[in-house]
Amino acid sequence: MKIVVLVKQVPDSGVERHLNGDDNTTDRVSAGNVINEMDEYAIEEALQVQQRHGGEVIVLTMGPAHATESIRKALSMGPDSAVHVVDDALRGSCAVATSKVLAAAIGQIGPDLVLCGAESTDGRVQVMPHMIAEWLGVAALTGARKLTVEGSALTIERQTDEGYEVVTAATPAVVSVWDTINEPRYPSFKGIMSAKKKPLETRSLADLGIDPAEVGFDGATSAVVEHSKRPPRQAGHKVTDSGDGGVQMVDFMAAEKFV
Amino acid sequence: MAEVLVVVEATQAFGVKKVTLELLTAARELGEPSAVVLGGPGAAAAMTDKLAEYGARKIYAAEAEEINGYLVAPKAAVLAKLVQSVAPAAVLLASSQEGKEIAGRLAVKLGNGLLTDVVDLDASGVATQVVFADSIIVKSKVSKGIPLVTVRPNAVTPVPAPATPIREELTVELSEADKLAKVVDRVAEQKGARPELTEASIVVAGGRGVGDADSFKLVEELADLLGAAVGASRAAVDSGFYPHQFQVGQTGKTVSPQLYIALGISGAIQHLAGMQTSKTIITVNKDEEAPIFGLTDFGVVGDLFKVVPQAIEEIRRRKG
Ligand SMILES: Cc1cc2nc3c(=O)[nH]c(=O)nc-3n(C[C@H](O)[C@H](O)[C@H](O)COP(=O)(O)OP(=O)(O)OC[C@H]3O[C@@H](n4cnc5c(N)ncnc54)[C@H](O)[C@@H]3O)c2cc1C
Ligand SMILES: Nc1ncnc2c1ncn2[C@@H]1O[C@H](COP(=O)(O)O)[C@@H](O)[C@H]1O
């Protein structure tokens, strides 16, 4: 089974993040950049499918040049090789354009299964898997907390607000995963060493046959007009419980008309 | 006035979700709202009264077993045809997993821009979003096509405006590509009578400080007394105290209730990402240095096992 795992480099969500003042894009330079956390679960799932069914695992990233750090880190967990779509013209790309580029790169690789995270921590859009599936005309099984592979038959448990749905499809398909699906492995020392030598190919827009006018700022289907910092919340009243903390809490709730 | 399409979100039992009433309210500011019901047979009839009460001038009914039989793609297919034929001023969907997924497919089909997690949309099509753990406010616009927008639950206060909708049937014609992901089973997990987390006006959330799964009953007891939903921090979920679908935060649900009560939660940035647009925040934490106090309206520094039972007793006493 040929598996592509989508891995996105994102600014670390544990520290304050910014947008650039000049063009309203995400500041990916000053922030510490990490692998989108949910994608580590997708990598782990890909490796487990590979362990059971054989085949190869290919990491696919679209992102600026420094995304190679995250690609090497992803490779140190165990995937066989990586493809990095990198092109100056991609800066400022909207979700529609990003999905088009990723779909084109996937189309060239021709996998049976595409695994990705359920959402990215910077965009939080949760749209990429269905958008990619729409371009490719393949199935999308999204929000999986469990994946079973039997030959070409895929079954997931899709987490919903009310419980879960059991959804099936045949390969080729795109499957997105939540962080409840597995426990990602830590890269071993051997993994880290071998990751440096694993094949990492780059693709430009020309390699993918995509016109630069369709992506980046020029081709964007939506645009940020302005951004500002949200005024921080003010801390209110704080009491130390000396036996009547619960009553004081209810006094506050009553004053605010919650009880 | 221009037509604005509102895609209806319903429960399994054909109940109109609160977020749909919010969407109808928002749509009335932009034009004439038309509700689009995508569901199994009988769905539109069951929901007509509610949709009328909140101002739907028209109800488009696309009813077929196949719509629920396959994941997302059929809904996007029906909707794309409708958008092409009526050329609406805007399309509004809920910013839920499915709402975003339908919108994503629609954006690709129509080559149209898409804005998600919107909290406000003005008549000129400028949308307000809050990003990066809700620390930054962004104003965006669709620059290709019509405003295709998913709106966060609780961003708008639903206001009734009774109308008499006309019903229009839509034909459901699906291609093979729409029927690739088959839903073979829907399993309901414990839910009870509590409101849904993202829609609730009050959320009572517990963290690692709650200590164990059994003690979450205390969180539930307070929630039920207030008619609230129960939430949990990731540490509480990871420790097995409470199920994952109730996780609040960056990798869980985003909530924006009138009141958020945080019990034994420290306030890590990833937790704040999911709740800091709550109108009022109450905290109980024994560590007075806990970061969550920095955004708390009323905080009690103390042991939640003393404070919460006392609060429960006091609420009961006042209710009589
Ligand atoms: C990429 C990423 C994504 C994440 N996503 C999320 C997310 O979606 N949601 C989320 O919540 N976290 C998320 N986290 C985890 C987050 O960083 C914190 O680890 C987590 O929120 C901590 O949960 P907590 O506050 O319950 O636990 P702790 O930080 O351990 O805090 C427990 C608190 O309880 C208090 N306490 C203990 N006993 C009592 C008592 N008897 N009475 C009163 N107070 C008591 C303590 O003083 C302490 O402040 C994410 C982390 C990463 C790296
Ligand atoms: N630029 C990208 N490169 C590789 N994968 C991506 C990219 N953007 C999104 N993804 C994948 O799509 C998933 C969902 O992202 P999103 O729709 O942005 O929330 C992520 O978890 C990634 O696996």
Side-chain angles (χ1 to χ4, degrees):
Chain A
M1 180 160 284
K2 199 172 188 179
I3 307 168
V4 163
V5 195
L6 299 182
V7 174
K8 185 181 186 185
Q9 189 184 52
V10 297
D12 188 350
S13 62
V15 297
E16 201 181 336
R17 290 166 289 174
H18 304 275
L19 296 178
N20 291 315
D22 49 350
D23 60 4
N24 295 305
T25 55
T26 302
D27 178 356
R28 300 187 188 277
V29 180
S30 72
N33 288 304
V34 295
I35 294 181
N36 178 42
E37 204 216 5
M38 215 73 83
D39 299 350
E40 293 183 16
Y41 296 80
I43 299 169
E44 176 63 36
E45 200 59 25
L47 295 171
Q48 292 188 15
V49 173
Q50 182 190 36
Q51 263 160 21
R52 285 193 293 270
H53 303 273
E56 59 175 320
V57 177
I58 303 153
V59 170
L60 173 61
T61 295
M62 167 184 139
H66 58 73
T68 41
E69 300 155 32
S70 295
I71 298 173
R72 289 290 176 201
K73 183 152 181 267
L75 286 173
S76 71
M77 287 174 71
D80 302 291
S81 62
V83 174
H84 182 183
V85 181
V86 49
D87 198 308
D88 290 341
L90 285 168
R91 195 172 148 78
S93 291
C94 65
V96 177
T98 303
S99 67
K100 182 173 188 167
V101 171
L102 288 171
I106 293 166
Q108 283 191 351
I109 301 168
D112 304 292
L113 177 62
V114 177
L115 278 161
C116 67
E119 69 177 17
S120 49
T121 55
D122 56 346
R124 299 212 61 176
V125 244
Q126 274 180 35
V127 290
M128 220 28 83
H130 274 282
M131 286 180 137
I132 291 170
E134 183 71 36
W135 286 110
L136 295 173
V138 304
L141 302 178
T142 45
R145 65 178 198 189
K146 187 173 174 212
L147 166 67
T148 321
V149 179
E150 279 167 85
S152 63
L154 307 173
T155 305
I156 66 153
E157 277 183 24
R158 169 178 159 99
Q159 180 81 62
T160 64
D161 288 336
E162 277 130 22
Y164 67 93
E165 296 169 338
V166 181
V167 195
T168 61
T171 56
V174 182
V175 177
S176 78
V177 305
W178 283 115
D179 51 359
T180 35
I181 197 162
N182 57 40
E183 205 40 67
R185 67 195 64 187
Y186 286 104
S188 63
F189 180 68
K190 197 166 142 257
I192 294 167
M193 295 314 289
S194 67
K196 294 184 180 134
K197 293 183 247 70
K198 285 182 178 167
L200 192 171
E201 291 178 16
T202 58
R203 296 270 186 286
S204 65
L205 284 168
D207 294 333
L208 298 176
I210 292 177
D211 180 355
E214 291 177 46
V215 301
F217 287 110
D218 293 344
T221 58
S222 59
V224 176
V225 218
E226 59 174 66
H227 75 269
S228 55
K229 268 188 104 60
R230 196 167 168 271
R233 285 186 85 104
Q234 299 297 322
H237 199 58
K238 187 159 85 176
V239 300
T240 300
D241 181 32
S242 51
D244 65 346
V247 173
Q248 288 198 45
M249 178 173 144
V250 179
D251 282 342
F252 174 80
M253 289 165 73
E256 299 285 318
K257 310 237 176 335
F258 290 114
V259 286
Chain B
M1 245 213 292
E3 188 170 0
V4 176
L5 297 184
V6 169
V7 179
V8 175
E9 278 227 356
T11 62
Q12 298 272 36
F14 294 155
V16 182
K17 288 199 182 172
K18 190 170 128 217
V19 64
T20 299
L21 311 179
E22 296 165 4
L23 295 180
L24 285 169
T25 306
R28 298 203 304 260
E29 302 292 312
L30 308 170
E32 289 196 351
S34 297
V36 187
V37 176
L38 306 159
M47 295 192 283
T48 298
D49 289 351
K50 201 74 185 174
L51 298 172
E53 189 188 337
Y54 284 83
R57 299 291 189 85
K58 211 181 228 182
I59 296 178
Y60 291 105
E63 298 183 338
E65 295 292 357
E66 283 175 319
I67 288 187
N68 289 328
Y70 301 92
L71 208 62
V72 184
K75 294 185 177 175
V78 174
L79 206 52
K81 259 201 215 149
L82 180 63
V83 171
Q84 276 159 338
S85 75
V86 307
V91 181
L92 310 187
L93 300 96
S95 228
S96 57
Q97 179 175 353
E98 189 177 87
K100 292 195 231 182
E101 291 177 342
I102 297 172
R105 284 196 177 253
L106 202 56
V108 171
K109 279 182 198 288
L110 304 172
N112 196 109
L114 160 70
L115 299 170
T116 56
D117 273 307
V118 166
V119 294
D120 185 46
L121 180 67
D122 72 18
S124 69
V126 173
T128 306
Q129 297 159 294
V130 277
V131 302
F132 291 166
D134 290 347
S135 61
I136 295 176
I137 299 171
V138 170
K139 299 223 184 227
S140 325
K141 235 178 130 87
V142 166
S143 43
K144 208 163 159 245
I146 52 166
L148 170 56
V149 166
T150 74
V151 182
R152 260 197 203 177
N154 277 342
V156 179
T157 309
V159 182
T164 317
I166 29 175
R167 176 175 167 145
E168 199 171 305
E169 246 35 64
L170 299 178
T171 44
V172 179
E173 277 169 88
L174 302 176
S175 70
E176 286 312 306
D178 299 325
K179 296 190 281 188
L180 296 171
K182 192 170 166 40
V183 180
V184 293
D185 200 6
R186 289 203 163 83
V187 184
E189 287 176 322
Q190 51 123 156
K191 172 81 191 298
R194 279 182 207 119
E196 193 171 303
L197 186 51
T198 52
E199 301 204 325
S201 342
I202 304 182
V203 173
V204 183
R208 200 200 310 269
V210 174
D212 54 46
D214 204 39
S215 303
F216 246 83
K217 291 209 184 86
L218 189 62
V219 181
E220 293 185 329
E221 196 182 342
L222 179 59
D224 290 342
L225 204 54
L226 298 169
V230 175
S233 74
R234 178 165 172 173
V237 170
D238 284 353
S239 312
F241 301 172
Y242 221 65
H244 179 254
Q245 66 259 42
F246 299 101
Q247 183 174 314
V248 172
Q250 179 159 289
T251 40
K253 298 273 159 57
T254 302
V255 301
S256 197
Q258 296 297 321
L259 174 63
Y260 189 85
I261 304 183
L263 306 173
I265 293 176
S266 63
I269 194 165
Q270 296 93 351
H271 186 79
L272 305 185
M275 47 65 75
Q276 62 172 315
T277 53
S278 304
K279 308 287 177 304
T280 301
I281 299 172
I282 292 180
T283 295
V284 181
N285 193 306
K286 66 182 182 190
D287 172 14
E288 65 169 328
E289 302 289 323
I292 192 149
F293 282 120
L295 48 145
T296 293
D297 297 288
F298 187 85
V300 182
V301 180
D303 183 352
L304 72 92
F305 293 103
K306 294 207 180 87
V307 176
V308 176
Q310 187 182 70
I312 288 172
E313 198 186 312
E314 181 64 15
I315 296 169
R316 286 222 174 91
R317 195 183 63 77
R318 292 192 191 196
K319 281 189 168 176

